[in-house]
Amino acid sequence: MTTATVGRRPGRPDEAVGGVVPREVVSPSTVAEVAEVMRAAAADRLTVVPAGGRSKTSWAAPPSSCDLLLDTSRLDRVVEHVAGDLVVVAEAGVRLADLQAQLGAAGQLLGLDPPEPGATLGGIVSANASGPRRLRYGTARDLLIGATVVLGDGTVASAGGKVVKNVAGYDLGKLYTGAHGTLGVVVSTTWRLHPVPVARRAVVLDLPAASAAGPLAVRLSRSTLTPSAVELVGTAGGAGQLLVLFESIAESVAAQASAAVTLLGGGSEVEELPATFGRRPGSPDDVLLRLAYLPTALPEVLAALPHGTAVTASAATGVAYAALASSDAVDALPALRAALARHDGTAVLLRAPEPVRGRLDHWGPVGDALDLMRRVKERFDPERRMSPGRFVGGL
Ligand SMILES: Cc1cc2nc3c(=O)[nH]c(=O)nc-3n(C[C@H](O)[C@H](O)[C@H](O)COP(=O)(O)OP(=O)(O)OC[C@H]3O[C@@H](n4cnc5c(N)ncnc54)[C@H](O)[C@@H]3O)c2cc1C
């Protein structure tokens, strides 16, 4: 590989992925350069870990090896914004915040709001990261309508396209969503967009018991109201605050917020969102978990967490984030997984600080899908050089 063009250099300790320091780092700036890097890596049998904004490199299991960190930050072009079709094509290293600013100028948005600062499109796809508005817009898997990836041998593969109606061929984008770089490098993404809502109003309700958010969210889901987000911020066994967000035209948000106050039995209407909205709970010293469960089971999920655990929950979608004290996590995680399983739930470890890293199972029970995942990995990365060990079952 031509070292000069792809900026090949030694890796630094602060670039470690899950504690594994890359031997070298490359920063290709075109798809052709990524393909060239991957061909050279294949020839030298190097393991490769892609990384974008580095906001989620601590998510997923640490790689078993990282010869080459493939930095996508120079793949930073918004290739095409077809505003009339509500579609954008953007390279994987484009930062979500930059894309939103550009789309916003045209009155449009990409309906993803994961809170990690500096996150790139490729990283968001690969980690399937989402935020509160997943209730309204879905997740990356729903909004991604096309993707170009570079496989471990340098093959460039594209799927999907620039039309929302598209059912021809395999939906590669869905496969790559949440694959944590284990199947190849996402280099370009095509998204369906939405118009920026003209008005916003939220109802904020303090709850003496955070668990009360469960039945309230169910009541909202069964109503005719169409909130963009139903977010709980609170602690397990303690108090909480529920925020119900409406985004639409002015008349609609006013009517819906007023109806929500009646339906919830209280709450105050606000137009500015609190700074905590959408943030992950806890601090970097905590073990961060993503919990998924039947939305009706929120009270049971909160009861299964150690008392006082900081939690945020997208209460109407059955997704929550919990920040366990590191000292609790080793004992608490297996019991939590057993409790969640009773509600079709799972607990995935997103971030584990140094003292407990390696002592915790990132994924928990996988069920009967592992054999299929192994066969997919075998087809896409038979030499197991792409982010080895990061995904379930050591894939
Ligand atoms: C020849 C052909 C080729 C096609 N090619 C493509 C393609 O290339 N790509 C692609 O993406 N799609 C394709 N489609 C699918 C099709 O064009 C539509 O995308 C699909 O049918 C959805 O259309 P619609 O949203 O208007 O729903 P409809 O077709 O109107 O309805 C879909 C279903 O939803 C039900 N439904 C509709 N509205 C409601 C409601 N308000 N409440 C409850 N139920 C409701 C209907 O009864 C029906 O069962 C093709 C279809 C045909 C016939």
Side-chain angles (χ1 to χ4, degrees):
M1 99 187 67
T2 47
T3 303
T5 50
V6 298
R8 191 172 184 171
R9 60 171 174 80
R12 298 186 307 258
D14 66 330
E15 295 176 304
V17 178
V20 180
V21 178
R23 210 151 49 81
E24 290 184 292
V25 177
V26 285
S27 307
S29 68
T30 63
V31 174
E33 284 179 8
V34 175
E36 188 191 346
V37 165
M38 297 305 289
R39 281 193 297 273
D44 292 345
R45 306 185 73 82
L46 303 181
T47 52
V48 180
V49 175
R54 323 275 175 102
S55 65
K56 294 177 289 294
T57 42
S58 61
W59 290 23
S64 56
S65 158
C66 178
D67 295 324
L68 204 57
L69 188 81
L70 194 148
D71 171 20
T72 64
S73 60
R74 290 172 71 208
L75 292 165
D76 60 355
R77 283 163 287 254
V78 176
V79 179
E80 193 179 4
H81 176 200
V82 193
D85 289 349
L86 286 155
V87 165
V88 71
V89 183
E91 290 182 335
V94 171
R95 291 177 192 272
L96 177 64
D98 296 341
L99 180 66
Q100 299 288 32
Q102 185 168 334
L103 297 172
Q108 298 185 355
L109 58 77
L110 171 57
L112 292 172
D113 60 350
E116 284 73 28
T120 59
L121 300 178
I124 289 168
V125 169
S126 302
N128 196 12
S130 61
R133 289 179 181 80
R134 62 178 289 155
L135 177 63
R136 177 181 182 128
Y137 299 111
T139 64
R141 194 169 275 137
D142 305 297
L143 297 170
L144 186 72
I145 57 172
T148 301
V149 299
V150 179
L151 305 185
D153 64 359
T155 304
V156 180
S158 291
K162 286 189 295 177
V163 284
V164 173
K165 279 184 68 169
N166 198 323
V167 292
Y170 294 112
D171 199 343
L172 202 62
K174 288 198 169 42
L175 192 61
Y176 272 79
T177 305
H180 287 282
T182 53
L183 299 177
V185 186
V186 178
V187 288
S188 182
T189 55
T190 304
W191 304 89
R192 59 182 294 222
L193 305 174
H194 289 84
V196 175
V198 292
R200 165 204 290 171
R201 194 170 294 192
V203 174
V204 177
L205 177 65
D206 289 323
L207 301 170
S211 57
L216 292 176
V218 172
R219 207 182 294 169
L220 282 163
S221 299
R222 289 179 179 157
S223 76
T224 54
L225 302 179
T226 53
S228 295
V230 179
E231 284 293 293
L232 168 71
V233 177
T235 54
Q241 187 178 68
L242 189 66
L243 184 147
V244 184
L245 174 64
F246 297 100
E247 294 173 317
S248 181
I249 56 171
E251 295 82 353
S252 173
V253 298
Q256 293 204 65
S258 163
V261 171
T262 307
L263 189 120
L264 298 172
S268 44
E269 297 184 27
V270 296
E271 287 188 8
E272 285 305 311
L273 296 175
T276 52
F277 179 73
R279 292 246 186 97
R280 310 292 187 213
S283 78
D285 295 333
D286 294 324
V287 168
L288 182 65
L289 303 175
R290 177 168 60 201
L291 316 175
Y293 49 88
L294 288 175
T296 46
L298 179 59
E300 289 82 0
V301 170
L302 292 172
L305 287 163
H307 189 86
T309 301
V311 177
T312 64
S314 294
T317 53
V319 174
Y321 296 85
L324 260 56
S326 295
S327 51
D328 285 344
V330 175
D331 291 337
L333 191 52
L336 176 62
R337 283 186 168 137
L340 283 166
R342 290 194 280 280
H343 304 283
D344 288 346
T346 54
V348 169
L349 183 63
L350 296 183
R351 186 188 65 221
E354 188 59 61
V356 289
R357 188 183 295 140
R359 294 174 58 204
L360 295 164
D361 170 10
H362 273 255
W363 303 101
V366 188
D368 55 9
L370 188 56
D371 187 47
L372 183 61
M373 292 186 205
R374 282 206 181 101
R375 280 185 279 149
V376 170
K377 174 76 173 173
E378 177 64 30
R379 294 301 288 265
F380 279 77
D381 180 28
E383 295 177 345
R384 297 180 42 77
R385 291 186 299 98
M386 293 306 306
S387 301
R390 296 210 84 195
F391 202 47
V392 291
L395 293 178

